[in-house]
Amino acid sequence: MPAPTIDANGPQIQTFEEIFAELVAAYKAIYGEDINVSQESPDGQRIGIEAKARHDMQVFGLLVANNFDPDFARGLSQAKIAKLSGIFPRPATNSTWDLSVTVTRDLTLAAGYSIADDLGQVWELVLPVAVVIGANPVTFTAAELGSVTGLTGATFTQVTVVLGVASITASVDAVVGVDEETDEEFAQRRNRSLENPGFSTTGSLAAQLLNTPGVTDAFVYDNDTDVYDASLDLDAHSIWAVVEGGTIDDIMRRLLFKKTGGTGIKGGIEATLPETLTRPDGSTFIVTQVRRFDRPVYVPVFVTATATRKNPLEPVELPLIKQRMAEFPFYIGTTLQAGFLYEPGYTAGDNFILSAVQVSDDDITFTAEAITPAAGQKFTLDVANIDITEVIP
């Protein structure tokens, strides 16, 4: 290609090799065909440097152009262009932990008072808290954004030392925060939002729920037949929304305005919502409607696999393989193919051969094929449920 162009498919740039060949031809036209343009020669090195600079500028121009396309934009440009559709990246949230603080005198723990758990994670107070002699329930916030875990029975040390604080105990697990949405996750959510204009469809309702603040996953089951669906436990002409994350009020509002009139709705979480309507003379009246939905039922997955050393003297990092597998994303109602876990497993290194990956949803019957959650369920995978046998050849 002689130069960068813009055609029906968008900007087209030259490869490094094309630019290099173009410069070589131009230099030979100036200095003669016998000049030395090998990589070891001064002229060859100069042409290489210039070709790289030109190629970098063309790549930069292509990235700028792509950042005007919502399907290719990433980072800040992605957030800016998605804003035009009313879609915003989900920010990270802090984990919170309700702890019991025992003090020997009445005092006020200032905002910023911090403690560290036995994993070295720092927890702090966002606002000042007045405590009295004895045990006091106090909510701490993780200093680090995102998914910070805390377990019952953890031990603590004071980072900010305050006289009178005798002990801090954890009788419940922390409420884990949400990691910041990645560019890839945000791109997928934006693509799902394109179904929003499909008003009164299952896809439209699911897209609206997925774009509700705080919602991390959602699925809408639809029985559009004239008979009861036993597999979904869903009446004829009814829908069933299963939503993870988000507040009940926000979810109910989405269901209020997006559920088709006359359609049945299933769910154990129920609310009666008022909708104010205006008559032609300006007076108003209220219509109340019932909306329902459910939270997903979490089903643990169990995994077995074999990791064979390539070098008999080089151990395999089994904990890292398990950790990477446990990071595999699951969604409500999504089937898990056992083979899907090979890819995250191999991100833990290249000194082993992973084989015989099998999965189970009951820790009894394992399969190398696929397992499917029941309606309304979502698989989860914990490191403790992964058993990998290391083989030394």
Side-chain angles (χ1 to χ4, degrees), residues 5-282:
T5 59
I6 299 179
D7 58 22
N9 297 317
Q12 307 296 322
I13 67 172
Q14 296 172 289
T15 65
F16 174 82
E17 290 75 14
E18 289 173 334
I19 297 173
F20 188 88
E22 184 179 286
L23 289 174
V24 167
Y27 271 78
K28 286 185 176 181
I30 297 173
Y31 299 110
E33 290 292 331
D34 59 344
I35 66 169
N36 184 0
V37 293
S38 65
Q39 294 183 0
E40 295 78 14
S41 69
D43 286 334
Q45 293 180 32
R46 175 178 177 177
I47 293 173
I49 293 171
E50 187 174 345
K52 185 179 185 306
R54 292 191 181 190
H55 185 254
D56 288 346
M57 288 301 298
Q58 291 187 30
V59 170
F60 174 75
L62 180 62
L63 289 174
V64 171
N66 285 342
N67 274 328
F68 286 100
D69 186 333
D71 290 327
F72 295 102
R74 291 295 182 266
L76 183 59
S77 296
Q78 181 187 43
K80 286 181 177 179
I81 199 165
K83 190 186 299 182
L84 300 176
S85 302
I87 309 298
F88 303 92
R90 183 185 67 238
T93 61
N94 295 89
S95 300
T96 59
W97 206 349
D98 293 333
L99 303 176
S100 177
V101 179
T102 301
V103 295
T104 57
R105 61 188 179 89
D106 295 350
L107 55 87
T108 297
L109 300 174
Y113 171 75
S114 58
I115 60 176
D117 61 22
D118 42 14
L119 297 177
Q121 300 169 141
V122 176
W123 303 79
E124 60 188 11
L125 295 182
V126 177
L127 298 172
V129 176
V131 291
V132 297
I133 294 176
N136 300 263
V138 179
T139 299
F140 285 80
T141 300
E144 181 179 344
L145 283 168
S147 177
V148 180
T149 59
L151 301 178
T152 301
T155 58
F156 302 91
T157 57
Q158 294 188 77
V159 176
T160 306
V161 179
V162 174
L163 295 177
V165 176
S167 65
I168 302 171
T169 57
S171 57
V172 296
D173 293 346
V175 177
V176 180
V178 177
D179 290 327
E180 183 178 8
E181 193 170 30
T182 66
D183 287 347
E184 290 72 22
E185 291 170 338
F186 182 48
Q188 292 174 5
R189 186 160 62 87
R190 191 206 70 85
N191 288 337
R192 291 195 298 264
S193 75
L194 300 180
E195 296 182 0
N196 287 351
F199 188 77
S200 296
T201 66
T202 303
S204 173
L205 177 56
Q208 288 287 334
L209 290 170
L210 287 165
N211 285 310
T212 301
V215 169
T216 53
D217 194 10
F219 194 88
V220 179
Y221 297 92
D222 181 15
N223 179 11
D224 60 359
T225 70
D226 295 329
V227 297
Y228 168 76
D229 187 333
S231 65
L232 298 177
D233 186 23
L234 192 57
D235 292 334
H237 304 293
S238 296
I239 62 172
W240 177 26
V242 182
V243 187
E244 178 184 68
T247 66
I248 293 176
D249 184 65
D250 285 344
I251 294 169
M252 290 298 186
R253 288 291 167 186
R254 295 287 193 185
L255 293 171
L256 173 64
F257 296 113
K258 287 300 179 182
K259 186 191 82 70
T260 307
T263 302
I265 188 167
K266 170 185 173 180
I269 301 174
E270 179 179 306
T272 301
L273 303 175
E275 185 177 6
T276 302
L277 304 177
T278 303
R279 300 185 180 92
D281 62 2

